[in-house]
Amino acid sequence: MRKFLFLLLISAVSFAQTNTYEISFDNAVHHEANIKATFPNVKSHELVVSMSRSSPGRYAIHEFAKNVYAFKATDSKGNKLELTRKDPYSWNITGHDGTVNVEYTLFGNRADGTYSQIDNTHAHLNIPATFMYAEELQHRPLEITFNSPEGSNWKVATQLKPVEGNTYMAPDMYYFMDSPTELSDFSLREFKLDGKNIRFVLHHDGTDAELDEYFDQVKRIVQQEKQVFGELPDYDYDEYTFIACYLPNVSGDGMEHRNSTILTDTEGLADGGMKGNIGTVSHEFFHSWNVERIRPNDLEAFDFSEANMSGSLWFAEGFTSYYTNLILHRANILTAEEYIKSLNGTFNYVWNSPAHQFFNPIEMSYQAPFVDAATSVDPVNRENTFISYYSYGSVLGLALDLNLRSKGLNLDDFMKQVWNTYGKTEVSYTIEDLHESLAKYAGAAVADEFFGNYIYKSEMPKYAELFKTVGLKLTQDVDKGYFGASLKANDSLIQIASNPKIDSPAYNANLTSGDQITTVNEDPISSMEDWENIIKESKPGTVLNITFLRDAKQAKSKVTLSKDPTYSINIDENADKKAKKAREAWLATK
């Protein structure tokens, strides 16, 4: 979110212009919340109140108004006000006496980084999905009271500033919208670092011992990420809150906010969640520097009524993704071998994609409104046209870090420079600013090569050479055959489950998604094991005579397998001492 100016003292006059909200959960069993809001001292003839269409950290449209009903508006005396609807997500209110009270019911049953969930165990509230706002009054301070169900042990976890009891305040609408809140009987762990209070709130069914072990990992992550930038951000109210919910009824996600983050997953700490969820902790906390304060100019100011697009997500999300597992190693959560192994999946996904011919990392970032938790019903061709900016930026961050290290520099210090220039000052940056910053740090030649070849274009860095400088080796299995599309078992048949990749053997043989393979070289095939055995025994150049069904009609095709393009990144045990020393410096705990 944008930089906020806080009102430490609110005068009686300004308090009279404070918007107030109240939320109750009397029908939580049916996933309903009752919400009331009061907008005083309204000067306009018509007040428009709206539900958001987008959410901080998300780039697609979500249309939160679809979960609102039983809406009514009254004046200060309780008189019913006239309503008109000029679009699907707003209510136009006229005839008021300077005060507008609204009340409505919200249905919410998805706990993640975007939506809200209300049930007997908790109220997981993402603010844009929950509360209406009046855009013309967006700069006013506001107060919100959370009414826990009678007899519950629910407490409140939020980055909002406490006022009294369960009442909290925000300096304006933007800060409110950026402040997810969890009400439940959660567990809390916290520690102090450089005068900042770091809190970890967890709603789960696990044990205190599990949480203690997990929190120890969280602390090490916080400390290692601080070392990258040299300091913690200046958190509002000197506090940062992880809001985690690891329960079977939630949806896996993570979402950064200015002084907090949402972490959700179906796995508890005893069910694989200890290892499976810690990467999201690492990723989202890194965002408290990169995204929340090192802020792309094209996301300023965030528009709650439209999709939000940025060409910098390869840096904002991608470089953050590069650090995610690197930090886990530096925090002694992943071994060096585990970290190096983790590079393989992302590396192959990015560099074996045909999408480079269509979009560079900037243009991939522009795709976010179509892919970031976005929904559509028509088939798409993402296998051939899209590479996640998370993954793309991650492997480019890796390449830049190794290139810098080969010259006696490193990505940590570049990130510090960007932090000092754009993060601490909260002056938003452009892609050109990043280019200039890299030139300032490493010289024009390095910056022009990186941006000219890999950001403004979509070329592949010379990874084999870069890996060699830190004692890694990049290899391919030249004897393994490659088909070019994923398959799945379907009713005793093997079905092509994805669009074949452009120029792959399956693509060139005119096979397509949905085709059901019945025989290979006239031998029946009825299981994935059958198919995997064929591929395992086939070398590049092998011809497969395939019979298949398409739209219930039989057809035939010849597929000539090519060399498997999969790369393998491994530690080179025979690397020289200089390379081994460079690897140790790269991976070392700070």
Side-chain angles (χ1 to χ4, degrees):
M1 298 298 290
R2 54 183 244 185
K3 183 177 181 180
F4 298 99
L5 299 177
F6 289 89
L7 305 178
L8 298 180
L9 296 174
I10 300 176
S11 67
V13 173
S14 64
F15 184 79
Q17 297 183 22
T18 297
N19 301 329
T20 59
Y21 292 81
E22 183 178 357
I23 184 168
S24 304
F25 309 98
D26 296 336
N27 199 23
V29 66
H30 294 299
H31 313 294
E32 288 185 344
N34 179 259
I35 298 166
K36 299 177 181 179
T38 296
F39 304 97
N41 199 29
V42 177
K43 301 297 184 183
S44 59
H45 170 73
E46 179 183 72
L47 182 69
V48 181
V49 296
S50 306
M51 286 297 290
S52 299
R53 305 181 69 208
S54 55
S55 186
R58 282 270 135 81
Y59 310 102
I61 291 292
H62 294 284
E63 305 294 15
F64 299 119
K66 65 184 178 295
N67 286 322
V68 169
Y69 44 94
F71 179 91
K72 62 182 179 180
T74 59
D75 64 14
S76 64
K77 300 179 180 62
N79 299 313
K80 189 175 180 179
L81 298 177
E82 183 178 348
L83 303 174
T84 55
R85 300 291 300 277
K86 298 179 181 178
D87 58 54
Y89 38 87
S90 299
W91 289 255
N92 299 60
I93 305 168
T94 56
H96 60 80
D97 58 1
T99 295
V100 174
N101 302 304
V102 302
E103 184 174 356
Y104 58 94
T105 300
L106 177 85
F107 180 87
N109 193 24
R110 182 180 173 90
D112 63 7
T114 305
Y115 297 97
S116 293
Q117 183 176 67
I118 300 109
D119 59 30
N120 283 340
T121 69
H122 72 162
H124 173 96
L125 306 177
N126 281 289
I127 304 304
T130 308
F131 294 99
M132 292 183 178
Y133 68 95
E135 186 174 4
E136 69 178 83
L137 308 177
Q138 61 183 300
H139 299 300
R140 286 185 178 182
L142 60 87
E143 287 192 354
I144 168 70
T145 299
F146 302 97
N147 295 318
S148 300
E150 186 175 350
S152 74
N153 295 319
W154 288 8
K155 299 158 288 192
V156 179
T158 183
Q159 70 177 26
L160 295 167
K161 184 179 181 180
V163 176
E164 183 179 6
N166 278 2
T167 298
Y168 295 76
M169 69 82 62
D172 57 26
M173 182 269 290
Y174 284 93
Y175 193 89
F176 183 48
M177 289 293 182
D178 194 44
S179 302
T181 301
E182 167 79 13
L183 284 82
S184 62
D185 186 18
F186 56 74
S187 299
L188 171 67
R189 299 292 186 273
E190 53 192 339
F191 77 107
K192 294 279 189 180
L193 182 62
D194 297 344
K196 308 292 193 299
N197 191 40
I198 310 298
R199 305 196 303 163
F200 193 88
V201 165
L202 179 59
H203 181 210
H204 72 141
D205 290 332
T207 66
D208 286 343
E210 290 165 353
L211 176 53
D212 289 339
E213 181 182 352
Y214 195 63
F215 184 59
D216 181 64
Q217 296 181 14
V218 173
K219 287 193 290 185
R220 300 202 303 268
I221 288 169
V222 169
Q223 291 161 346
Q224 285 304 302
E225 294 192 356
K226 172 201 161 186
Q227 294 300 319
V228 173
F229 295 96
E231 62 184 340
L232 291 174
D234 187 15
Y235 297 123
D236 304 326
Y237 318 120
D238 292 328
E239 191 163 73
Y240 184 92
T241 305
F242 293 92
I243 302 174
C245 189
Y246 298 154
L247 286 168
N249 63 321
V250 307
S251 301
D253 202 4
M255 184 55 63
E256 73 277 1
H257 296 274
R258 183 171 173 84
N259 308 293
S260 63
T261 189
I262 284 289
L263 308 165
T264 56
D265 199 76
T266 57
E267 288 185 323
L269 296 180
D271 304 317
M274 189 83 72
K275 187 172 184 178
N277 291 325
I278 197 65
T280 310
V281 173
S282 175
H283 183 95
E284 301 304 331
F285 188 64
F286 201 88
H287 274 319
S288 67
W289 291 271
N290 192 24
V291 169
E292 288 302 323
R293 289 164 178 84
I294 304 173
R295 187 82 176 154
N297 179 262
D298 45 15
L299 289 180
E300 292 293 331
F302 193 87
D303 190 341
F304 293 96
S305 66
E306 299 290 347
N308 289 260
M309 184 177 78
S310 171
S312 300
L313 299 186
W314 59 268
F315 179 79
E317 294 288 1
F319 274 40
T320 298
S321 294
Y322 166 61
Y323 273 100
T324 297
N325 280 358
L326 181 59
I327 291 296
L328 293 185
H329 172 66
R330 290 179 179 178
N332 296 313
I333 297 169
L334 292 179
T335 65
E337 291 74 14
E338 288 172 328
Y339 170 63
I340 300 305
K341 184 179 179 180
S342 76
L343 298 174
N344 281 274
T346 302
F347 188 88
N348 281 292
Y349 161 63
V350 173
W351 296 116
N352 286 323
S353 172
H356 296 281
Q357 62 188 288
F358 302 112
F359 302 118
N360 63 25
I362 297 170
E363 292 162 324
M364 291 299 180
S365 298
Y366 289 151
Q367 300 295 305
F370 306 129
V371 299
D372 182 51
T375 58
S376 61
V377 295
D378 58 321
V380 293
N381 194 20
R382 296 290 178 208
E383 297 93 338
N384 287 308
T385 62
F386 178 69
I387 304 168
S388 168
Y389 38 85
Y390 288 84
S391 303
Y392 205 161
S394 176
V395 295
L396 290 177
L398 168 65
L400 180 57
D401 196 5
L402 298 187
N403 186 34
L404 291 173
R405 288 177 181 277
S406 71
K407 304 177 188 310
L409 305 169
N410 60 75
L411 191 63
D412 289 12
D413 286 344
F414 173 62
M415 295 302 291
K416 284 188 183 77
Q417 177 180 286
V418 175
W419 163 249
N420 287 323
T421 305
Y422 299 104
K424 290 180 71 171
T425 60
E426 298 201 47
V427 175
S428 59
Y429 67 85
T430 64
I431 295 172
E432 292 75 18
D433 290 330
L434 294 178
H435 188 164
E436 292 176 7
S437 291
L438 185 57
K440 181 180 178 181
Y441 174 67
V446 171
D448 291 348
E449 178 192 17
F450 182 76
F451 279 85
N453 293 336
Y454 314 130
I455 305 302
Y456 305 136
K457 296 180 183 178
S458 53
E459 297 178 9
M460 182 178 181
K462 298 176 181 178
Y463 282 100
E465 297 177 14
L466 293 171
F467 287 146
K468 188 175 181 179
T469 65
V470 290
L472 303 181
K473 56 184 178 180
L474 184 68
T475 59
Q476 289 179 295
D477 187 349
V478 298
D479 294 324
K480 184 177 180 182
Y482 174 68
F483 180 67
S486 61
L487 293 96
K488 65 179 180 180
N490 185 10
D491 295 333
S492 298
L493 295 173
I494 299 304
Q495 184 176 44
I496 297 179
S498 65
N499 294 321
K501 291 188 175 181
I502 291 173
D503 207 31
S504 70
Y507 185 93
N508 292 334
N510 293 324
L511 295 172
T512 191
S513 177
D515 289 348
Q516 293 180 310
I517 299 174
T518 56
T519 69
V520 176
N521 296 334
E522 300 184 357
D523 293 327
I525 179 169
S526 59
S527 69
M528 284 301 298
E529 184 179 3
D530 291 343
W531 175 260
E532 289 165 0
N533 286 335
I534 290 170
I535 296 299
K536 184 178 180 180
E537 296 169 1
S538 299
K539 295 183 179 296
T542 299
V543 176
L544 303 180
N545 294 292
I546 290 181
T547 304
F548 62 95
L549 295 175
R550 180 183 296 169
D551 301 326
K553 296 179 180 180
Q554 182 171 288
K556 294 186 178 182
S557 183
K558 286 188 176 182
V559 179
T560 303
L561 300 183
S562 65
K563 181 183 72 173
D564 191 331
T566 303
Y567 296 95
S568 180
I569 306 168
N570 294 288
I571 294 175
D572 184 358
E573 301 297 346
N574 297 318
D576 59 35
K577 291 182 179 180
K578 180 180 178 181
K580 290 180 179 179
K581 186 176 180 180
R583 184 173 69 234
E584 291 172 0
W586 169 41
L587 301 179
T589 298
K590 307 300 180 183

